[in-house]
């Protein structure tokens, strides 16, 4: 719980600074937001590493192949990065660019999930 309070406090402080700076220099305000986001993601990287380790352990325990687990992890990563990038584009008043990022994220997530879909198709083929 204390980690989210730290992250929220840092985000609110960065947002307040960006609001004040935006009047004079919108570019610096955007850079401030990107920098704060990068620091927050770095701060959370330990938690993300723990999640990946747990998923690997669960996959090993359940005898799941990398063909099943890897696409799920890649798709989750693509979704996180897409959301961050699209939100920054929207914050910079670049709605069209945000839509392009969201479309690209969707296409890349589907491409990352292809091995999983192929594995499901193989299982279904064997069952029939």
């Amino acid at each position: 719980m204390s980690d989210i309070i730290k992250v929220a406090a840092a985000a609110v402080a960065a947002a307040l600074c960006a609001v004040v700076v935006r009047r004079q220099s919108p570019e610096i305000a955007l850079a401030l937001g990107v920098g704060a986001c990068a620091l927050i993601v770095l701060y959370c990287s330990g938690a993300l590493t723990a999640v990946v380790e747990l998923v690997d352990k669960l996959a090993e325990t359940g005898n799941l192949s990398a063909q099943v687990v890897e696409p799920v992890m890649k798709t989750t990563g693509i979704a996180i990065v897409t959301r961050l990038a699209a939100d920054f584009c929207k914050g910079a008043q670049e709605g069209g660019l945000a839509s392009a990022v969201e479309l690209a994220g969707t296409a890349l997530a589907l491409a990352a999930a292809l091995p999983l879909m192929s594995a499901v198709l193989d299982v279904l083929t064997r069952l029939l």
Side-chain angles (χ1 to χ4, degrees):
M1 182 71 159
S2 66
D3 285 338
I4 191 60
I5 292 171
K6 291 176 187 176
V7 167
V12 169
L16 289 173
C17 290
V19 167
V20 171
V21 171
R22 185 170 287 122
R23 293 181 191 140
Q24 299 296 323
S25 179
E27 298 84 11
I28 293 176
L30 181 62
L32 177 65
V34 170
C37 180
L39 289 175
I40 289 169
V41 169
L42 284 174
Y43 180 79
C44 295
S45 65
L48 293 174
T49 301
V51 170
V52 170
E53 288 172 0
L54 178 63
V55 168
D56 287 342
K57 186 175 180 179
L58 289 172
E60 184 179 313
T61 303
N63 290 326
L64 297 175
S65 71
Q67 189 180 17
V68 173
V69 176
E70 199 173 296
V72 173
M73 296 303 292
K74 283 183 180 179
T75 303
T76 303
I78 290 168
I80 291 169
V81 171
T82 299
R83 174 76 187 262
L84 288 171
D87 285 349
F88 271 108
C89 290
K90 289 175 186 173
Q93 306 300 315
E94 293 293 334
L97 189 56
S99 295
V101 168
E102 290 169 348
L103 179 62
T106 302
L108 293 171
L110 286 172
L114 283 177
L116 180 58
M117 289 186 249
S118 178
V120 169
L121 182 61
D122 289 344
V123 168
L124 289 175
T125 303
R126 280 187 240 133
L127 288 174
L128 297 175

